[in-house]
Structures are given as structure tokens and as C-alpha cells.
Amino acid sequence: MQVGYIRISTPEQNTARQEVLMQELGVEKVFIDRMSGKNTDRPQLKQMLSFVRQGDTVIVESISRFARNTRDLLELVEQLAAKGVEFVSRKEQIDTTTPTGKFMLTVFGAVAELEREYILQRQAEGIAIAKANGVYTGRKPIVRPEFETITAMWKSGRITAVEAMKRLNMKPSTFYRKVRQMEQEKQQRGAV
């Protein structure tokens, strides 16, 4: 069975180009993730890995859609090989049924990872220049006017921390960090 895997980085991107390729290749089952490929913790990727059986072939449009670094790429392909599943990347024309394909997989994986590192480096340099010019100020903090009221209710024991986080729509790490910041600001105001 031919099994396709499609990934786009954001929900706003379009899967049409990859889906057309899968149709043209006669792929019978397709798994689609709409999230970053920075790691292998992707729901559809996991489903696809548990779905495939010996004799199947996993087809991707390009290795960058499958994995963002060489280690992840090689580990994923190794998992497939352990199940007797072949891997094909159309863009790079990699087919793991051949020794040359296995070698090329390693080379292209390294090149894709290098390209990703260059992109991140250029992005960081651009942000540094923008910050130096006063153009980039980072992400605006989310202001929750009810934060002090709700945290006061939590501190007095009227609601639990979980309830406070739920009302404020905050994760624990953010909630406790904001509580610490608020307390530090109050101490600084009191010291003045």
C-alpha cells in the first residue's frame, strides 16, 4: 500500500499542491499534519507510523515535509525500515529500497538541516538589526485587566489556582510567572 504524509507549517498554508501529487501517484491513504516540523511529536505522523505495515511505502513531497533535522529524518526512516516499510521522497528522488537512496537520504537530510539553520540565523540577525534600530519590540504582552482581581481571589482561598488559570486562560508557567512579576512590581513600588 502507498501511504502519503503531508505537512504544512501553519493552518493558513495550503495542502493542495501536496495532495495533487499524492493523487497523481495513486496514494491510497494520506495523513496530514498542520503544524511545525521542528520535532516528531505530530499526531498524524504518529498515526501514520502505527498504521503502516510490512510492504507499504511512505511517500512524501520532500524530506523537509517529513523532518526538519537529519537525526529525526534518519530515526523516522529507521522506524519505517524496522517495520519493513520503504520511504520515498519525490522532490529529492530518494528511494530507500536502494543503497544509493539510503546514502542520498542522509546527504539531503543534512543539507535540509543546514538550510533550516541558515534561515534561523538570518532571522535572528534581522531581529537584532531591527531591535538596534528600534523597529522590533517583540510580541506585545497580553493584558488581562481582571488578573489582579482573580489572583486576589486565589490568594484568599476563594478559588483554586486551576480555576484562576482557567478564568484567565493561562498556562501554569505563565500564570505563576505573572504572579511573581506582579509581586516584584508591588515590592518595588513599596520601596520607592
Side-chain angles (χ1 to χ4, degrees):
M1 176 181 227
Q2 290 191 326
V3 178
Y5 177 74
I6 293 173
R7 185 188 63 78
I8 52 175
S9 297
T10 64
E12 294 80 35
Q13 290 178 329
N14 195 318
T15 59
R17 180 178 52 84
Q18 294 179 66
E19 288 186 73
V20 166
L21 173 67
M22 297 299 165
Q23 287 174 350
E24 288 172 356
L25 296 172
V27 171
E28 301 160 65
K29 177 100 173 130
V30 177
F31 294 85
I32 302 173
D33 273 317
R34 290 174 170 81
M35 61 192 308
S36 170
K38 67 181 176 186
N39 60 43
T40 58
D41 188 21
R42 293 172 256 151
Q44 290 294 299
L45 176 64
K46 287 179 179 178
Q47 262 193 319
M48 185 269 299
L49 290 170
S50 66
F51 175 83
V52 291
R53 301 286 179 260
Q54 185 169 354
D56 289 348
T57 301
V58 170
I59 300 174
V60 296
E61 185 264 336
S62 73
I63 56 175
S64 66
R65 300 294 91 207
F66 197 54
R68 280 289 179 89
N69 65 60
T70 309
R71 188 193 53 191
D72 286 349
L73 175 65
L74 296 176
E75 284 177 6
L76 288 169
V77 172
E78 203 172 288
Q79 286 179 45
L80 293 174
K83 294 180 83 169
V85 176
E86 299 300 335
F87 174 79
V88 173
S89 174
R90 294 296 295 189
K91 183 178 181 180
E92 295 86 5
Q93 299 201 353
I94 295 172
D95 183 341
T96 60
T97 59
T98 67
T100 305
K102 289 176 183 171
F103 170 74
M104 293 306 294
L105 176 72
T106 305
V107 172
F108 278 114
V111 170
E113 184 175 353
L114 179 65
E115 184 179 337
R116 177 75 182 142
E117 292 299 320
Y118 281 149
I119 289 168
L120 293 173
Q121 183 180 1
R122 287 192 302 267
Q123 181 183 33
E125 289 168 357
I127 289 171
I129 291 168
K131 280 182 178 179
N133 293 332
V135 177
Y136 183 88
T137 56
R139 191 172 120 188
K140 302 281 184 252
I142 297 170
V143 179
R144 291 191 168 79
E146 69 279 14
F147 184 78
E148 284 193 44
T149 307
I150 292 174
T151 53
M153 291 169 65
W154 164 63
K155 285 181 178 183
S156 69
R158 290 186 288 176
I159 62 172
T160 65
V162 173
E163 179 61 28
M165 290 177 230
K166 189 185 284 185
R167 288 185 187 189
L168 292 166
N169 192 25
M170 287 183 168
K171 292 181 181 174
S173 58
T174 307
F175 175 75
Y176 290 115
R177 183 175 29 103
K178 294 281 188 191
V179 167
R180 281 191 304 274
Q181 286 173 349
M182 184 177 72
E183 288 170 354
Q184 287 172 351
E185 288 170 9
K186 283 181 180 178
Q187 286 176 350
Q188 288 172 353
R189 283 194 300 255
V192 175

